C-alpha cells in the first residue's frame, strides 16, 4: 500500500521530468518560421525544414523568425524633384527575410531596428528617383515605372540586411500649398497652349475644307452652265430651223405675221406717234386691194 502511494506520487513527477528533459533536446519549426541554431553565440546552421529537430541544451540556442511577408508603412516624407520642388510622399513596402543568418548579424533579429534601417534605404531610393523626375512625371502614368525602379533599387540596397523587398508602393503624392498653386498655373498654361494649338489646327482644316468646297462648287456651276448653254444653243438652233422651215413654206404669211408683230409693238401701248410716208411699205397691209390707203 505504501509503495503504491509512492508510485502514484512520483510517477507524474518523473513523467514531467522526462518531458522537460526531452524538450530541452528538441525544438519545433513551424511552416511560417525560419530557425537558426547557435553554438555559444556562433551560427552553426540555418537550414531547418518545418518539423521537429534536436539540439544540445545550454550549448545550442535557437532563434526563430517569421518568414511571412511584413509590411513597413513609412511616415510621409518630403522629397525634391528635378525642378527643385517639394513633394510629400506617403509610401509603404512589403519585405520578408531572405537570408536568416545575415538578418541576425545585421539587425540582431530586432524588427524595430530592421524597420528603421529599411526605412532609411527606402527614403534614399525615393530621394534619388524623385530627383530624376519632374512633378508632372511623378503624378502621371509614369508612377508605375517609378515604383518598379524603387523596388529594384531598394531591394539591392537592402541586401546587406538579409531581407528581400518584394514591393515598394507610393500610396499618395501631395504638393505643399506653395507648390500647388505654381503647378496648377503651369498645368493650366500647358492646357491653354494645347487648346490654342488644337483650335489653330481646326481653323486650318476648316479653311482647307471650305476652300475645297468653294472650288468644287465653282467647277460644278461652270460645268452646269456649260451644259445649259450647250442645251440652249441646241434648242435655239432647233427653233431657228423650225421657224425657217415654217416661214419658207409660206413667205407671204410670214411677211404678214411680221407686220402684225410690228403693229403690236408700235401701237400696243397707245399714244404713239409715227411720221411715215403714206406709201411706206410699213402700211402695205392697210391698203385696199386697189392699192390705195
Amino acid at each position: 500500500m505504501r509503495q503504491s502511494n509512492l508510485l502514484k506520487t512520483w510517477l507524474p513527477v518523473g513523467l514531467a521530468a522526462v518531458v522537460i528533459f526531452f524538450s530541452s533536446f528538441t525544438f519545433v519549426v513551424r511552416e511560417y518560421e525560419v530557425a537558426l541554431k547557435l553554438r555559444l553565440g556562433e551560427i552553426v546552421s540555418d537550414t531547418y525544414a518545418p518539423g521537429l529537430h534536436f539540439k544540445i541544451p545550454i550549448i545550442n540556442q535557437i532563434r526563430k523568425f517569421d518568414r511571412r511577408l511584413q509590411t513597413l508603412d513609412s511616415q510621409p516624407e518630403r522629397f525634391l524633384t528635378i525642378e527643385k520642388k517639394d513633394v510629400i510622399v506617403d509610401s509603404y513596402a512589403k519585405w520578408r527575410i531572405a537570408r536568416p543568418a545575415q538578418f541576425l548579424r545585421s539587425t540582431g533579429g530586432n524588427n524595430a531596428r530592421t524597420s528603421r534601417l529599411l526605412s532609411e534605404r527606402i527614403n534614399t531610393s525615393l530621394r534619388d528617383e524623385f530627383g530624376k523626375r519632374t512633378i508632372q512625371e511623378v503624378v502621371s502614368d509614369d508612377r508605375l515605372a517609378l515604383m518598379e525602379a524603387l523596388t529594384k533599387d531598394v531591394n539591392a540596397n537592402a541586401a546587406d540586411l538579409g531581407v528581400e523587398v518584394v514591393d515598394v508602393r507610393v500610396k499618395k503624392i501631395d504638393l505643399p500649398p506653395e507648390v500647388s498653386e505654381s503647378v496648377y498655373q503651369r498645368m493650366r498654361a500647358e492646357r491653354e497652349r494645347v487648346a490654342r494649338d488644337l483650335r489653330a489646327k481646326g481653323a486650318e482644316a476648316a479653311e482647307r475644307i471650305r476652300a475645297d468646297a468653294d472650288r468644287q462648287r465653282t467647277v460644278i456651276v461652270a460645268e452646269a452652265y456649260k451644259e445649259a448653254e450647250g442645251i440652249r444653243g441646241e434648242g435655239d438652233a432647233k427653233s431657228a430651223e423650225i421657224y425657217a422651215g415654217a416661214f419658207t413654206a409660206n413667205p407671204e404669211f410670214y411677211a404678214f405675221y411680221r407686220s402684225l408683230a410690228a403693229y403690236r409693238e408700235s401701237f400696243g401701248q397707245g399714244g404713239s406717234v409715227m411720221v411715215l410716208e403714206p406709201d411706206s411699205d410699213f402700211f402695205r397691209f392697210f391698203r385696199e386691194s386697189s392699192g390705195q390707203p
Side-chain angles (χ1 to χ4, degrees), residues 256-275:
F256 176 70
Y257 177 79
R258 289 186 59 191
S259 295
L260 290 179
Y263 297 153
R264 184 168 52 250
E265 291 292 331
S266 300
F267 307 126
Q269 300 298 327
S272 300
V273 177
M274 301 180 64
V275 180

Side-chain angles (χ1 to χ4, degrees), residues 39-167:
R39 183 173 56 206
L40 302 177
E42 181 183 355
I43 299 173
V44 294
S45 180
D46 61 354
T47 56
Y48 288 102
L52 182 66
H53 302 277
F54 295 93
K55 66 177 181 176
I56 301 175
I58 301 176
I59 296 177
N60 294 137
Q61 297 85 39
I62 304 299
R63 295 293 302 272
K64 300 178 184 178
F65 305 108
D66 194 335
R67 67 178 180 181
R68 292 175 293 186
L69 280 177
Q70 308 291 323
T71 300
L72 174 61
D73 197 353
S74 303
Q75 293 295 323
E77 295 284 345
R78 282 198 176 205
F79 301 102
L80 285 174
T81 65
I82 195 172
E83 306 159 307
K84 304 303 179 185
K85 300 292 185 180
D86 281 333
V87 290
I88 302 174
V89 181
D90 189 4
S91 64
Y92 72 91
K94 292 287 187 181
W95 64 276
R96 62 188 170 198
I97 298 173
R99 294 179 298 281
Q102 182 64 31
F103 176 73
L104 181 62
R105 294 189 190 100
S106 301
T107 67
N110 188 303
N111 282 342
R113 184 181 180 187
T114 303
S115 297
R116 185 178 69 255
L117 294 173
L118 198 55
S119 293
E120 292 175 357
R121 286 159 172 77
I122 291 173
N123 288 342
T124 299
S125 298
L126 283 169
R127 188 174 296 107
D128 293 341
E129 292 299 327
F130 275 82
K132 301 174 185 176
R133 292 170 169 82
T134 64
I135 291 179
Q136 185 175 359
E137 289 173 342
V138 298
V139 299
S140 65
D141 295 338
D142 194 46
R143 186 185 296 189
L144 182 59
L146 169 66
M147 290 187 289
E148 290 177 353
L150 280 172
T151 302
K152 183 178 180 181
D153 192 28
V154 173
N155 195 33
N157 292 337
D160 61 322
L161 300 180
V163 300
E164 177 190 6
V165 178
V166 178
D167 195 13

